Amino acid sequence: LPEFFRTGSCADIPYQFVTKSGKIIDVLLSAMAERDAAGQVTHSIAVMQDVTPLNRVKSQLEKAKSRAENLLRTANVLVVELDPAGIVIRVNAEAERVTGYSSRELKGINWFAKIVPRERYPEVWEEFARLLENQKIDAFENPILTKQGQERYITWRNSVVLEGGRTVDRNGHGKCSVN
């Protein structure tokens, strides 16, 4: 609580307390000191909020996220996450293997421009336009071009990620029909 003693107030300081029953709980502590004319602390008011259940849920979410990310990273299918404009947010190891591009090479570029050029694959661009309009596309097979110029056929399953009713990104996972 050095901040409290220095400034006379603190907000949302994580702390642990032991209850009468011996149970350890997590709290957020906020306090404010009242001072006299000479600047001496005369009394203080403190509020503690028990955040033990919230911290437990946060921990469970972090573990679930870690497991899901590990699954996506190691899945034997291509996993591609795109923003609403088709810009690559991330790809997994299988996407790197099949396309021949590293994650670093793909991140931040337009997936469709790089992997399925419009002049060669206009039907893929039409399907992506439908997906942009939030029309559901359960499965779609399309060719892609690898870094080496080879054509591979991928069967995709797509999903749209919404926040507040607004599309924030799109996730696709695909299986290469020829390895």
Side-chain angles (χ1 to χ4, degrees):
L1 296 174
E3 179 186 351
F4 174 76
F5 293 113
R6 190 176 67 253
T7 66
S9 69
C10 64
D12 295 336
I13 305 298
Y15 224 64
Q16 286 190 320
F17 277 91
V18 179
T19 65
K20 285 182 183 180
S21 68
K23 181 179 165 187
I24 297 174
I25 63 169
D26 298 322
V27 299
L28 290 180
L29 173 66
S30 297
M32 182 172 269
E34 293 285 329
R35 298 181 186 271
D36 62 18
Q40 296 297 313
V41 174
T42 58
H43 61 281
S44 64
I45 299 171
V47 176
M48 291 183 282
Q49 178 183 7
D50 184 355
V51 293
T52 306
L54 177 64
N55 286 352
R56 192 175 305 118
V57 169
K58 282 182 180 178
S59 176
Q60 291 168 345
L61 283 172
E62 287 170 6
K63 287 176 187 173
K65 180 182 179 202
S66 177
R67 286 191 301 268
E69 286 178 346
N70 184 53
L71 177 65
L72 292 175
R73 194 173 38 258
T74 60
N76 198 23
V77 295
L78 288 83
V79 177
V80 178
E81 183 180 358
L82 306 175
D83 76 4
I87 304 301
V88 175
I89 296 170
R90 69 176 143 185
V91 298
N92 72 343
E94 183 67 0
E96 290 179 307
R97 186 187 75 74
V98 170
T99 66
Y101 291 101
S102 71
S103 180
R104 183 177 292 150
E105 290 173 292
L106 292 172
K107 188 174 182 174
I109 63 129
N110 185 294
W111 170 264
F112 297 97
K114 186 78 164 180
I115 304 296
V116 284
R118 184 188 305 259
E119 62 279 355
R120 186 163 175 173
Y121 305 112
E123 70 283 0
V124 177
W125 284 72
E126 291 168 15
E127 286 299 309
F128 183 63
R130 280 195 275 287
L131 188 59
L132 282 176
E133 294 168 3
N134 289 325
Q135 292 181 9
K136 187 174 180 183
I137 302 172
D138 277 340
F140 180 70
E141 183 176 272
N142 69 271
I144 65 167
L145 280 181
T146 68
K147 186 174 184 177
Q148 299 76 24
Q150 297 172 317
E151 194 170 80
R152 300 275 178 100
Y153 280 82
I154 311 296
T155 301
W156 295 100
R157 308 250 339 144
N158 297 297
S159 63
V160 175
V161 179
L162 301 172
E163 284 181 10
R166 196 176 119 264
T167 300
V168 292
D169 63 5
R170 288 166 179 76
N171 296 315
H173 61 277
K175 187 73 178 158
C176 185
S177 55
V178 177
N179 286 326

